[in-house]
Amino acid sequence: MKQQKKLMFSKSVAYKWMVSYAVIMLIPLIVSAIIYLQTKQIVEYEIERAGHAMLKQMQNTVDSEMNQAEKMAMQLSIHNDVNKYLNLTLPDERTQSFQIYKARQELSKYKSTNDFVTGIYLYSSRLDKVLTDETYVDSNTFYEINRQMIGMPYADWLTMLKGEADREKGLLPQIEFKRWGTNVVLMKPFSNAGGENVLRGTLVLPLNGSKIQNMLKNVDWVNNGDVYIVDKNQQILFQSNSLANFQSVPFADEGEKGAGTSFMDIAGTENMVSFIDSDTTDWRYISVFPSSVFWEKAREIRNLNLFGLLLCFFVGGGVISYYARKNYNPVRELVNMFSGATDEQSQRVLDEFAFIRESALATIRERDDSNSRQFRQLRVLQTYYLSRLLKGQIEDGLTVEEAARLHHFEWESEDFAVLLFYIQGCGEDGPSPSLANFIVSNILKDFTGEHHGLSFTEMDGMLAAVMNIGAGRSASWKEDIEEALAKMLEFIKQKYRLHIVMAGSERHTGLNSLHLGYLQALEAQEYRLVLEENVSVWYGDIEPQQTDYYLSLNDEVVFINLIKSGELAKASGMVDDILAQFFGSQVSIELVRYAMIDLSSSIMKAVPQETQRSKLWEEWRPMKRLLVCTTRGEFRQELMELTAIACGMANEKLTLMSNNGIGEEVSAYVKDNYADINLSVSMIGAHFGITPQYVSKLFKEQTGQGLHDYISQIRTAEAKVLLQDGVTIEEISARVGFSSSSAFIRVFKKYEGITPGRYKNLQ
């Protein structure tokens, strides 16, 4: 029951209103949801931009200090006292002690000018001693004093100072950074000026790690993350968190470009990793911070946004439900009042939208149907009344004004004329006769305008019009209708491909004269037979002259003999002479119809009797074809066609009578074309130029066998040969001219007594 009520409510107007309001409410909700989803991306973008700026600031500061240290190393490499010290040998060491002192003083000066380095160590390969700004001792003693700082075995440390590993690679670097334990040093090797593959010494500048670490700690978010400086081998040179035990950063090579940011999982925690490459060294600056750091504030914004979405959803849903039901009640009362439903069940299942729509459509349809019925009834009454008027059946004492008011005619005067229209289409794709009458009547009314009133009906297969001549147009009514007819003919011929010919009566006064007008128009229409084609005729323009009808018996015998002998040219010439006798002057229609009957009967006498009994001759129906002609041109065309057909039949009979060898020719033709599926008696007759009936009759007379049976026997004989060769029945049926295998089996069994399959098995 609840499910049924739910289904009923889904058809209600209130439900549709609620859905419409909900769709409108969803627009801001969707926008808010999109903003909610974009919050994380916006925050991430801002954090990335801030982190990149901080790294860039730190990179600029550290790179600037490194440039100063590198410049110091380059200046010391070209200093005269430093080079003199490196060129000393063991024998010269005692004599050049002042020179060593001067070099140490220079180192002390340079150290005091740059707090980025914690000391300056100059190792001499020839003396195997280390000169600093404070001491001058041999390498072993220096190592023992600074063992903790160096953080590696003495042999490895000495090998690094002598650059033996770099010499094996074949290339000595200008300046490189090395890691001594927890310290990073800048090393500048001094090559031998003599080209020997031995270093004169190495300049070592320990970097101030505490200062760099303080720079890293100055980054705003360092308390929640880590900042690293790594070399090209991903070895950590400096880091903000001194308690971290990483020796290298495995994610340092994630980015191949100069700078970038990515999110990755490190030790089970999502972190934002930003990096930037140094402009002067092969170092990379990396910051690693948990994503939760920058989401602490953003989470509050997201929660507030989500709360607002939920609040809008529930409040908006309640408001929608309230106003939808409030606006729905008047509509529901109106629907219940017009629906006529008394029980609650009928009222509840009613779809208001469908009911209103169907009720409106039903009312419109009812109105249109009523108007259409009234219009059709009025047209039927008008047509019936006009037909009675044209036939002379009129009510006594009924005036024109009363008739117009009673039958809704637009008649304004007492003057009338009757017009008859002969309408003929130009092809099979033209409009039907009823549609053609409708087109002509409406277009003619439009072109006639308001000068005259036209009312149409059908009389004896023609469109008849009762024309009420407008007041003041009695002198030019013929010109008006001819002008309108000319416009209509041009329009209809182009668009509807119709040929129209009009015949009209003279002007008459009163309803009693309409019958006379119809007879005049009918006589004018019939008289078009003696005029040219498609010429409109007025009754006042015809003046028939009575002439004698004369067609001698001798002329008829000559005409029949010409047809029997097949002389078409002479027979056609005689037809033209006979027509010239009738149409040489204006004759009566009766004489023309007499001539039609005589000529058609003469043609029928000349046709062989067996042809007259055939179905083909019944289809030609020469008498009917001549009697339906309405113009002189149509009458001559039909008469010439019938004459040609009759002469062709006579020639066909003469040809058959003279051709005694037709049986052999037909047999040869069948043997050559038996595989053609279209081979038939009609095809053979068309090939030899004679009718199928006569070719079949002549073949049987000459061979003693029916032509159809002969064709089937030839095909059966050829099929037997193919069966012996193992060809399939389907292929045989196609190769010997049968339309299907079933037809082949039926014919084969008829002439051989067994089926093709059994015949094939017997072979």
Side-chain angles (χ1 to χ4, degrees):
M1 188 66 180
K2 292 183 179 180
Q3 185 68 22
Q4 184 179 5
K5 290 183 178 180
K6 184 178 180 181
L7 181 61
M8 294 172 184
F9 179 71
S10 65
K11 297 181 180 180
S12 173
V13 177
Y15 175 77
K16 296 175 181 177
W17 282 346
M18 292 173 66
V19 172
S20 302
Y21 296 155
V23 171
I24 298 175
M25 186 187 70
L26 283 178
I27 296 176
L29 290 179
I30 292 174
V31 174
S32 300
I34 294 174
I35 296 175
Y36 170 77
L37 295 176
Q38 294 295 323
T39 302
K40 181 178 180 180
Q41 297 181 6
I42 295 172
V43 173
E44 288 177 355
Y45 172 75
E46 294 298 331
I47 294 299
E48 289 176 10
R49 191 170 63 172
H52 178 76
M54 295 300 294
L55 281 179
K56 184 66 177 177
Q57 180 181 358
M58 183 180 65
Q59 177 237 358
N60 292 334
T61 303
V62 175
D63 284 354
S64 176
E65 297 292 345
M66 294 302 301
N67 286 333
Q68 295 297 326
E70 291 179 357
K71 288 180 181 180
M72 179 190 297
M74 296 302 297
Q75 291 175 358
L76 289 174
S77 66
I78 60 176
H79 198 282
N80 187 36
D81 292 335
V82 172
N83 283 288
K84 287 181 179 180
Y85 166 70
L86 294 176
N87 291 329
L88 292 177
T89 60
L90 289 175
D92 300 332
E93 182 180 10
R94 293 182 177 276
T95 60
Q96 298 294 331
S97 57
F98 181 72
Q99 183 62 41
I100 296 174
Y101 173 76
K102 288 175 61 180
R104 192 182 69 178
Q105 291 295 110
E106 291 298 327
L107 296 181
S108 178
K109 291 179 182 179
Y110 276 94
K111 179 181 178 300
S112 63
T113 60
N114 194 333
D115 61 350
F116 193 70
V117 297
T118 58
I120 302 177
Y121 310 144
L122 185 61
Y123 172 74
S124 174
S125 299
R126 295 176 179 178
L127 300 176
D128 190 28
K129 290 186 177 182
V130 178
L131 176 65
T132 69
D133 58 322
E134 296 178 351
T135 61
Y136 176 64
V137 294
D138 60 85
S139 60
N140 190 19
T141 304
F142 182 85
Y143 175 79
E144 294 297 333
I145 297 173
N146 300 282
R147 177 190 296 271
Q148 186 176 0
M149 180 196 71
I150 295 175
M152 66 179 72
Y154 173 75
D156 296 340
W157 174 71
L158 191 60
T159 300
M160 182 183 300
L161 290 178
K162 293 182 178 181
E164 294 178 357
D166 294 329
R167 288 200 308 271
E168 291 178 358
K169 297 178 181 179
L171 180 63
L172 293 175
Q174 292 290 332
I175 294 175
E176 62 178 344
F177 295 91
K178 298 290 186 178
R179 188 173 184 85
W180 288 6
T182 59
N183 300 290
V184 179
V185 297
L186 183 152
M187 300 183 66
K188 166 64 179 172
F190 292 88
S191 60
N192 197 333
E196 298 179 4
N197 193 18
V198 178
L199 291 179
R200 290 187 299 156
T202 301
L203 177 64
V204 179
L205 301 178
L207 301 181
N208 192 345
S210 60
K211 183 177 182 179
I212 296 178
Q213 191 166 359
N214 289 332
M215 292 181 183
L216 299 182
K217 290 182 179 180
N218 289 331
V219 180
D220 290 347
W221 57 88
V222 73
N223 294 329
N224 297 289
D226 298 321
V227 181
Y228 302 92
I229 300 178
V230 299
D231 59 11
K232 61 182 179 180
N233 297 321
Q234 286 79 49
Q235 297 296 316
I236 297 177
L237 301 178
F238 302 98
Q239 58 186 8
S240 60
N241 187 2
S242 60
L243 300 178
N245 55 1
F246 291 114
Q247 296 298 323
S248 62
V249 181
F251 44 81
D253 58 346
E254 290 291 331
E256 298 180 356
K257 299 181 180 180
T261 301
S262 61
F263 288 85
M264 60 182 62
D265 185 74
I266 302 175
T269 304
E270 184 184 33
N271 291 267
M272 185 184 76
V273 179
S274 301
F275 69 91
I276 187 171
D277 291 337
S278 173
D279 295 334
T280 59
T281 64
D282 56 0
W283 293 0
R284 171 167 288 186
Y285 303 88
I286 301 174
S287 63
V288 180
F289 303 99
S291 300
S292 57
V293 173
F294 54 83
W295 268 118
E296 290 180 358
K297 297 296 182 181
R299 188 176 295 107
E300 297 179 2
I301 299 176
R302 291 202 311 173
N303 293 337
L304 182 62
N305 194 356
L306 182 59
F307 175 76
L309 287 176
L310 295 176
L311 182 63
C312 291
F313 179 79
F314 288 109
V315 174
V319 173
I320 288 173
S321 178
Y322 172 74
Y323 281 104
R325 293 186 177 276
K326 181 179 179 181
N327 296 332
Y328 166 72
N329 291 330
V331 176
R332 184 63 191 177
E333 292 177 1
L334 182 64
V335 171
N336 292 339
M337 180 179 63
F338 284 103
S339 65
T342 57
D343 59 303
E344 183 181 356
Q345 181 67 19
S346 301
Q347 293 179 354
R348 188 166 54 245
V349 299
L350 185 63
D351 184 352
E352 293 85 0
F353 276 153
F355 173 78
I356 295 173
R357 181 174 60 253
E358 292 299 329
S359 298
L361 292 177
T363 303
I364 295 173
R365 284 196 298 267
E366 184 178 355
R367 183 199 63 188
D368 294 341
D369 293 342
S370 177
N371 294 338
S372 178
R373 286 194 300 270
Q374 292 180 2
F375 178 77
R376 288 197 299 268
Q377 292 173 359
L378 179 61
R379 289 291 299 163
V380 171
L381 293 175
Q382 288 180 342
T383 301
Y384 175 71
Y385 182 69
L386 290 176
S387 300
R388 293 187 61 195
L389 289 179
L390 295 177
K391 293 178 181 179
Q393 302 172 1
I394 184 172
E395 301 177 10
D396 295 334
L398 189 65
T399 64
V400 173
E401 183 179 356
E402 292 174 348
R405 185 176 64 256
L406 181 62
H407 298 283
H408 301 279
F409 289 121
E410 297 178 357
W411 292 346
E412 299 178 355
S413 69
E414 297 282 338
D415 296 331
F416 292 92
V418 179
L419 309 176
L420 293 179
F421 296 92
Y422 176 75
I423 306 172
Q424 186 177 9
C426 295
E428 296 181 356
D429 56 344
S432 62
S434 59
L435 180 58
N437 291 342
F438 176 79
I439 293 172
V440 172
S441 60
N442 282 275
I443 294 178
L444 187 59
K445 279 185 178 181
D446 293 338
F447 285 123
T448 303
E450 300 178 354
H451 299 306
H452 310 284
L454 290 176
S455 303
F456 293 89
T457 185
E458 290 188 8
M459 296 291 293
D460 300 328
M462 291 182 293
L463 181 65
V466 175
M467 178 179 179
N468 181 249
I469 301 173
R473 307 291 297 183
S474 58
S476 60
W477 66 275
K478 284 189 178 181
E479 290 77 5
D480 293 341
I481 198 66
E482 287 179 352
E483 181 181 356
L485 183 62
K487 294 179 181 178
M488 182 186 69
L489 290 175
E490 182 180 359
F491 177 77
I492 287 182
K493 187 175 181 180
Q494 293 178 356
K495 190 168 184 179
Y496 298 104
R497 303 178 63 188
L498 294 174
H499 290 300
I500 304 171
V501 178
M502 184 201 72
S505 69
E506 292 300 295
R507 180 169 61 90
H508 299 279
T509 302
L511 297 176
N512 294 325
S513 63
L514 286 178
H515 178 59
L516 178 59
Y518 172 67
L519 295 178
Q520 290 180 353
L522 188 61
E523 186 173 352
Q525 178 72 11
E526 291 181 349
Y527 198 74
R528 286 196 313 106
L529 182 62
V530 298
L531 299 177
E532 296 297 332
E533 290 187 68
N534 301 327
V535 176
S536 297
V537 180
W538 295 101
Y539 178 78
D541 297 335
I542 62 174
E543 298 179 359
Q545 298 177 359
Q546 187 69 32
T547 58
D548 296 332
Y549 173 72
Y550 181 75
L551 180 60
S552 65
L553 181 61
N554 184 45
D555 290 340
E556 183 180 7
V557 172
V558 172
F559 181 64
I560 293 174
N561 290 333
L562 289 175
I563 294 178
K564 287 185 175 181
S565 61
E567 298 182 14
L568 178 60
K570 293 182 179 181
S572 300
M574 191 169 182
V575 169
D576 285 332
D577 293 339
I578 296 173
L579 294 178
Q581 179 183 356
F582 291 106
F583 296 108
S585 60
Q586 290 184 339
V587 296
S588 63
I589 301 300
E590 288 79 8
L591 290 181
V592 174
R593 297 192 183 278
Y594 295 157
M596 290 182 185
I597 296 173
D598 284 345
L599 289 174
S600 61
S601 61
S602 299
I603 294 174
M604 294 176 66
K605 294 175 183 178
V607 174
Q609 294 295 325
E610 58 271 16
T611 303
Q612 295 185 18
R613 292 191 296 267
S614 64
K615 293 183 180 180
L616 184 61
W617 181 256
E618 293 178 0
E619 295 176 359
W620 290 336
R621 308 177 72 178
M623 184 65 71
K624 184 175 182 180
R625 292 176 63 177
L626 289 174
L627 291 178
V628 297
C629 295
T630 58
T631 64
R632 181 197 308 178
E634 291 180 4
F635 178 67
R636 181 184 180 280
Q637 180 180 358
E638 292 293 339
L639 193 59
M640 287 298 183
E641 289 183 3
L642 291 174
T643 303
I645 292 172
C647 290
M649 292 180 178
N651 287 326
E652 182 181 276
K653 183 176 181 181
L654 293 173
T655 301
L656 292 175
M657 294 175 63
S658 61
N659 191 358
N660 296 327
I662 189 67
E664 296 179 358
E665 294 181 8
V666 171
S667 299
Y669 182 79
V670 171
K671 292 179 180 178
D672 293 338
N673 298 275
Y674 70 89
D676 190 349
I677 194 174
N678 297 316
L679 180 64
S680 63
V681 178
S682 299
M683 178 178 173
I684 296 172
H687 176 76
F688 289 98
I690 53 181
T691 61
Q693 295 83 357
Y694 279 98
V695 71
S696 180
K697 179 180 178 182
L698 188 59
F699 183 82
K700 188 171 184 179
E701 290 176 355
Q702 295 183 9
T703 62
Q705 186 179 12
L707 182 54
H708 186 271
D709 290 339
Y710 180 73
I711 295 173
S712 298
Q713 290 178 1
I714 291 296
R715 288 174 170 171
T716 301
E718 184 63 26
K720 291 166 64 177
V721 176
L722 296 175
L723 286 170
Q724 294 176 1
D725 295 339
V727 183
T728 62
I729 293 177
E730 288 75 9
E731 186 177 355
I732 292 174
S733 63
R735 290 173 61 177
V736 299
F738 287 99
S739 59
S740 63
S741 59
S742 60
F744 164 62
I745 294 172
R746 184 175 61 255
V747 172
F748 190 90
K749 187 175 181 180
K750 175 182 177 182
Y751 290 99
E752 297 297 328
I754 59 176
T755 62
R758 183 166 180 77
Y759 179 85
K760 184 177 181 181
N761 293 332
L762 293 176
Q763 299 301 319

